[in-house]
Amino acid sequence: MGSGWQSLSLAAPAWIAFALALGMLAKSLRLPALVGFLVAGFLLNALGAQPSPFIEEVADLGITLLLFTIGLHLSLRVFARPEVWAVSIGHMALSTAVLTLVVIGGGVLGIGPLVSLGIGGALALGLALSFSSTVFAVKALEDRGAQRTRHGRIALGVLVIQDLVAVVFLATATDARPSPWALLLLGLPLLRRPLLALLDHAGHGELLILFGVVVAIGGAALFELVGLKADLGALVAGFMLAGSPKSAELSRAMDGFKDLFLVGFFVSIGLDVPLSAVSFALGCLVLLAIPVKAAGFLLLFSAARLRARTAWQATLDLATFSEFGLIVVAAAVESALLPDSLLTSVAVAVALSLVVAAPIATRGDALYARFREPLR
């Protein structure tokens, strides 16, 4: 095992138990559990806790499994509908452009860590803030039993495209050049049939989950071996299994397992960077972009000729900042495009956006009834 797992001490389980307690508290307040996990990391940092190699290993594995499950959902049919691909790409382009200009303007005005940002850093931050929370949207749709409604399918399609763009950014965030051996990856499609045969043979129990973990880690390791981003390898590994009869079952089996390891990522954000008054204030300021994002979605959905009610419900499910945006910002920090403090500010903005969006999404029908005529 790696050194991170060997260094497991009593502190790490205590931190995880603390994250569990705050996650359950968040759930009791009808908020996504990841809000509690983020708060746990900040509180642990304030109490003097230091980042743990074990938590970092768990966080890395959680991101790998997240990308693998995204790959399992990829389908060309998702991109075929204009209300999905056109709205998603159009909204990301407009949001990234507007938010990048706002970030540059904030730097000119002398707002904290925005002052030292270059164009690349401003673009990375604008892109990260253009994403919407997959965790929140899935949970909100499940709570309302709306996964199979038209607005639910549209919202999830938009999220898949956003996640795919995020993975492309993660794959190109470093200056590392692939080795000539990377050309051998063009033969990966030849492995699809053997992998699908193994997937069928894995059955429906613990072997199915273990198969998914092995394929995800194997794909990540293979890409890293030839000088490519491991994140892209995990996504490609999932995509190789997408569309098979058992891919949906594998995705459902992996969801809880993946979410367990993602706890480490959310906790590590607060542990790595302390929460300062400036970071918190900037995170609150960033929250002002949410109404602008929501208005953009509503206008683009309406331009795609969706009914007012469908456009409204899909907009409410997407009017958040994303946990994937945190991953993008973390990669930009690692590549020296952004300072550490901005990771804290974006974490605050993500958490607050979920806090604000949760009660609004649950009252979507009542709000539509109230504002029906203006929306039409």
Side-chain angles (χ1 to χ4, degrees), residues 23-356:
M24 294 183 72
L25 176 61
K27 182 179 180 181
S28 68
L29 297 175
R30 303 180 68 84
L31 297 173
L34 71 87
V35 174
F37 302 150
L38 288 169
V39 173
F42 290 130
L43 291 178
L44 287 169
N45 190 307
L47 294 172
Q50 297 298 317
S52 160
F54 170 76
I55 295 294
E56 297 297 334
E57 293 277 359
V58 169
D60 290 342
L61 182 55
I63 294 173
T64 297
L65 296 179
L66 172 65
L67 293 168
F68 176 71
T69 56
I70 289 172
L72 290 173
H73 289 101
L74 291 181
S75 169
L76 294 178
R77 288 179 299 176
V78 172
F79 308 103
R81 301 173 181 172
E83 64 267 27
V84 174
W85 67 264
V87 170
S88 180
I89 295 174
H91 190 273
M92 275 190 293
L94 289 173
S95 295
T96 301
V98 171
L99 292 170
T100 299
L101 291 175
V102 170
V103 169
I104 294 173
V108 172
L109 294 174
I111 298 178
L114 301 183
V115 175
S116 58
L117 291 188
I119 297 298
L123 279 169
L125 185 57
L127 177 66
L129 294 176
S130 72
F131 301 138
S132 302
S133 173
T134 302
V135 171
F136 172 83
V138 171
K139 185 70 171 67
L141 290 170
E142 286 179 351
D143 289 345
R144 304 198 307 268
Q147 303 98 310
R148 298 184 181 276
T149 61
R150 190 180 185 203
H151 71 82
R153 292 195 300 268
I154 290 172
L156 292 176
V158 169
L159 289 167
V160 167
I161 295 178
Q162 287 184 353
D163 293 346
L164 187 59
V165 171
V167 172
V168 172
F169 174 86
L170 294 174
T172 58
T174 63
D175 296 329
R177 295 184 178 180
S179 73
W181 294 102
L183 292 174
L184 294 176
L185 297 177
L186 296 175
L188 282 178
L190 299 175
L191 298 178
R192 175 175 165 84
R193 285 185 177 274
L195 286 174
L196 290 178
L198 288 173
L199 176 59
D200 289 334
H201 187 67
H204 307 279
E206 65 277 5
L207 283 179
L208 182 64
I209 298 177
L210 184 58
F211 172 81
V213 172
V214 169
V215 173
I217 296 176
L222 182 61
F223 271 59
E224 195 168 31
L225 187 64
V226 296
L228 294 172
K229 287 286 288 183
D231 303 321
L232 183 60
L235 180 82
V236 170
F239 182 57
M240 289 176 63
L241 301 176
S244 68
K246 288 198 66 174
S247 62
E249 180 185 352
L250 176 60
S251 176
R252 289 192 297 270
M254 295 287 294
D255 276 345
F257 197 67
K258 169 255 301 179
D259 292 341
L260 173 64
F261 284 92
L262 277 176
V263 173
F265 172 74
F266 295 123
V267 172
S268 68
I269 289 172
L271 282 172
D272 288 337
V273 185
L275 178 61
S276 65
V278 173
S279 298
F280 182 80
L282 184 57
C284 294
L285 189 63
V286 169
L287 197 65
L288 297 176
I290 287 293
V292 179
K293 283 187 64 175
F297 274 123
L298 191 59
L299 290 173
L300 289 173
F301 281 136
S302 298
R305 299 183 180 278
L306 292 183
R307 293 174 55 201
R309 183 188 183 89
T310 302
W312 171 254
Q313 292 285 9
T315 295
L316 292 186
D317 292 328
L318 297 169
T320 56
F321 294 126
S322 172
E323 63 283 348
F324 224 134
L326 284 175
I327 298 174
V328 167
V329 172
V333 168
E334 186 177 350
S335 302
L337 285 173
L338 297 173
D340 291 348
S341 57
L342 278 179
L343 180 58
T344 307
S345 297
V346 174
V348 170
V350 170
L352 290 179
S353 74
L354 301 181
V355 170
V356 171

